[in-house]
Amino acid sequence: HEQVESLYPRPGWVELDPEVLWSQFVGVVKEAVQAAGLHMRQIAGLGISTQRATFITWHKRTGKPFHNFISWQDLRSIELVNSWNKSLLLKVVHVIFTVLHFLTGNDRYLAPSFLTFSTQQTSMKLSWVFKNIHEAEEAAKKNNCCFGTVDTWLLYRLTKGSVYATDYSNASATGVFEPFMKCWNPTLCNLLSIPMSIYPPVKDTSFNFGSADSEIFGVPIPIMAVVADQQSAMFGECCFHPGDVKLTMGTGCFWNVNTGEHLFASRRGLYPLIGWKIGEEVVYITEGCMSDIGTAIKWAQDINLFINVDETEKMARSIVDSQGVCFVPGFQVSVNDPYLCASFMGLKPSTTRNHLVRAILESVAFRNKQLYDIIVKKVRIPLQTIRADGGVSNNSFVMQMTSDLINKKIEKPANADMSSLGAAFLAGLASGFWTDKEQLKKLRRIEAVFEPQKDLEEYKPAMDTWLQAMKRSLHG
């Protein structure tokens, strides 16, 4: 895993350079093999875990991209999103599908009945591409335009253009894929004037995609798994059973629940995804997410609230409470309210850096509690184990407080980077290195278990103050 530097060509635009991404990917693979003291000839298979919903389009014949990667964080489609969400056509769609759901009781009609667009979805940005990039539009008319998320582009480059595919986990995270029918969504594409000819075939997650061209690593290496990062982390945590929960706290925060063969339709705050498909087995998951956890902590470090992230836990524990100081997250500009931004409330002359740091960490735990409550309410499956990963899971103040607030124990693995482990597990299964998931469970290493220690009542005053601050910032 290596961060590719984001480009910001215009305000609100977030892009990645496809050539930089490609060369960093090749570099990371070579470094990993070298660091393990291995030779490329000894590699049985490659598993690729990538960021989701960041995409590119390119010319089928020449392989030349029509634009840089457009990141999931990109806001260029904000005007399209707003006009669609206010449109009469969308209201008509809502009515039709509400009636269909009422008459049939079929859950697949529930999601379109309150479909709203957001800038994080691929659909609106794709619509923007075909409205604004003439070459892409022309190529699509001649069936010469390819669409791909990061995984598809890497597969295409690794095989020098001979493999063009994605997997179910990545496809389902674009918002243009119908998880019920397991196909690209023709209704949505018609609605947004996106040509259906641009999409790659969708393959199993743990699957032999073909081999990397021998020129790249010196030998041909079979590509045995392609998986989206959150689903991969879930697999790495061995959340194989319905009700297993994975909590990733990295740049953003993701709660994922394994819902087995049941696909829960979108509810406000939660959305359905395909976790993975291996042969006949399709595992669905429900996800709730909040952005900006890691961003807030990095910002606090950049302005010297602390030197090293490891100090934050000690700083937060050095005081009994935040003295009424609240941190309202929101570093990403809200689509609905461009004036909504991150802020501190309740500052006093006696406020110290420790209070500010504690307020930031508390806000993470409070938002975890909010998402957990939504999941308990909406997902009709008893929740089993909760396993945490991601950089912020190393902070035991956040972990302990989250455990107290949700009144559940949380396991933390020895290795916090689970998405690369998940990709390795999936590749190992496809290449026969492991024969079943039971073998994978035996490889799990738990570093710590956080059990509830304080009563929820003890947090109530602080959480009430924080909720007030959130309300005030929304309506200020």
Side-chain angles (χ1 to χ4, degrees):
H1 268 255
E2 188 173 326
Q3 263 341 94
V4 177
E5 199 73 26
S6 294
L7 309 170
Y8 305 97
R10 293 193 199 173
W13 290 28
V14 188
E15 297 183 349
L16 303 174
D17 183 315
E19 291 307 318
V20 171
L21 186 137
W22 165 246
S23 62
Q24 278 189 234
F25 169 78
V26 172
V28 164
V29 173
K30 287 178 177 171
E31 275 168 41
V33 171
Q34 211 175 349
L38 297 169
H39 189 277
M40 283 295 178
R41 282 191 303 273
Q42 295 167 277
I43 306 303
L46 182 63
I48 302 172
S49 153
T50 50
Q51 185 188 86
R52 307 178 305 182
T54 293
F55 74 93
I56 194 168
T57 63
W58 67 92
H59 195 284
K60 190 180 278 182
R61 226 180 36 252
T62 65
K64 189 175 173 296
F66 295 118
H67 51 85
N68 281 337
F69 270 102
I70 299 175
S71 166
W72 64 275
Q73 297 159 303
D74 187 281
L75 297 172
R76 75 188 62 193
S77 59
I78 196 160
E79 280 155 10
L80 269 176
V81 167
N82 287 338
S83 67
W84 264 103
N85 285 342
K86 289 178 192 149
S87 70
L88 180 63
L89 185 53
L90 195 62
K91 289 185 177 69
V92 171
V93 169
H94 287 175
V95 170
I96 291 168
F97 282 98
T98 302
V99 171
L100 279 172
H101 180 249
F102 177 74
L103 294 175
T104 63
N106 188 334
D107 255 11
R108 64 171 284 219
Y109 298 126
L110 195 58
S113 71
F114 48 74
L115 171 73
T116 49
F117 292 106
S118 88
T119 55
Q120 288 189 6
Q121 291 162 335
T122 306
S123 51
M124 275 299 166
K125 287 182 280 227
L126 251 182
S127 181
W128 182 95
V129 164
F130 290 109
K131 280 183 169 61
N132 292 277
I133 299 174
H134 182 64
E135 296 94 321
E137 187 196 14
E138 284 303 301
K141 280 179 188 158
K142 295 177 184 147
N143 209 353
N144 266 334
C145 179
C146 295
F147 158 88
T149 39
V150 177
D151 59 300
T152 306
W153 173 249
L154 292 176
L155 267 178
Y156 185 81
R157 291 293 296 263
L158 279 167
T159 58
K160 298 222 165 150
S162 68
V163 176
Y164 177 50
T166 186
D167 94 296
Y168 284 91
S169 66
N170 278 292
S172 75
T174 59
V176 200
F177 190 79
E178 228 295 338
F180 272 100
M181 308 303 288
K182 298 193 218 34
C183 65
W184 298 104
N185 190 329
T187 316
L188 187 64
C189 291
N190 280 335
L191 205 61
L192 302 176
S193 315
I194 300 168
M196 283 295 288
S197 63
I198 65 170
Y199 297 111
V202 186
K203 308 282 186 195
D204 285 6
T205 309
S206 178
F207 177 79
N208 188 344
F209 285 86
S211 285
D213 190 279
S214 53
E215 268 181 34
I216 298 165
F217 299 117
V219 286
I221 295 177
I223 302 152
M224 303 305 275
V226 162
V227 60
D229 56 5
Q230 296 309 320
Q231 288 95 314
S232 188
M234 188 138 188
F235 203 87
E237 289 272 31
C238 298
C239 291
F240 300 143
H241 306 289
D244 282 351
V245 182
K246 180 230 23 131
L247 160 60
T248 294
M249 292 183 284
T251 314
C253 175
F254 295 86
W255 282 81
N256 297 92
V257 186
N258 182 326
T259 59
E261 53 196 38
H262 298 287
L263 180 63
F264 283 96
S266 288
R267 299 283 197 277
R268 282 176 179 79
L270 300 175
Y271 43 92
L273 292 168
I274 294 173
W276 50 84
K277 181 174 182 297
I278 304 171
E280 292 303 298
E281 179 197 47
V282 180
V283 169
Y284 291 105
I285 61 177
T286 288
E287 180 171 283
C289 92
M290 48 205 185
S291 49
D292 289 343
I293 283 192
T295 320
I297 291 169
K298 188 179 179 314
W299 166 81
Q301 189 174 12
D302 290 346
I303 64 159
N304 295 327
L305 280 184
F306 54 86
I307 311 295
N308 191 321
V309 177
D310 302 341
E311 297 169 61
T312 56
E313 196 182 304
K314 210 158 106 210
M315 291 170 79
R317 292 194 198 281
S318 71
I319 45 180
V320 287
D321 56 35
S322 69
Q323 241 186 26
V325 175
C326 295
F327 176 68
V328 177
F331 274 88
Q332 278 199 325
V333 180
S334 161
V335 178
N336 308 322
D337 181 0
Y339 301 106
L340 176 68
C341 53
S343 56
F344 282 104
M345 292 197 187
L347 299 177
K348 306 165 189 66
S350 56
T351 301
T352 65
R353 287 195 302 186
N354 293 353
H355 294 113
L356 299 179
V357 166
R358 183 169 172 128
I360 292 174
L361 299 184
E362 283 183 348
S363 78
V364 176
F366 289 148
R367 290 167 94 207
N368 275 337
K369 163 78 172 150
Q370 282 184 315
L371 265 178
Y372 176 80
D373 286 350
I374 293 172
I375 288 165
V376 169
K377 201 164 137 193
K378 307 279 187 184
V379 178
R380 300 182 297 275
I381 287 180
L383 302 185
Q384 308 296 333
T385 56
I386 299 177
R387 294 169 181 162
D389 59 71
V392 182
S393 71
N394 291 323
N395 188 301
S396 65
F397 177 84
V398 173
M399 292 289 286
Q400 186 57 56
M401 188 167 164
T402 302
S403 170
D404 291 346
L405 287 169
I406 67 174
N407 197 27
K408 282 265 188 189
K409 73 173 192 191
I410 306 174
E411 293 177 5
K412 182 196 165 302
N415 169 11
D417 185 4
M418 276 291 145
S419 41
S420 48
L421 186 64
F425 278 177
L426 286 155
L429 283 172
S431 61
F433 187 77
W434 293 295
T435 50
D436 61 27
K437 297 197 201 83
E438 291 308 310
Q439 289 177 297
L440 302 179
K441 285 182 193 171
K442 291 178 185 141
L443 299 173
R444 284 193 69 237
R445 296 284 172 269
I446 300 168
E447 188 180 87
V449 177
F450 293 86
E451 306 220 18
Q453 287 176 358
K454 280 188 184 175
D455 196 44
L456 182 60
E457 282 304 303
E458 291 188 51
Y459 291 103
K460 201 172 177 328
M463 188 152 180
D464 287 346
T465 311
W466 181 77
L467 288 167
Q468 282 299 112
M470 289 284 279
K471 268 199 197 108
R472 206 162 284 172
S473 94
L474 277 168
H475 306 297

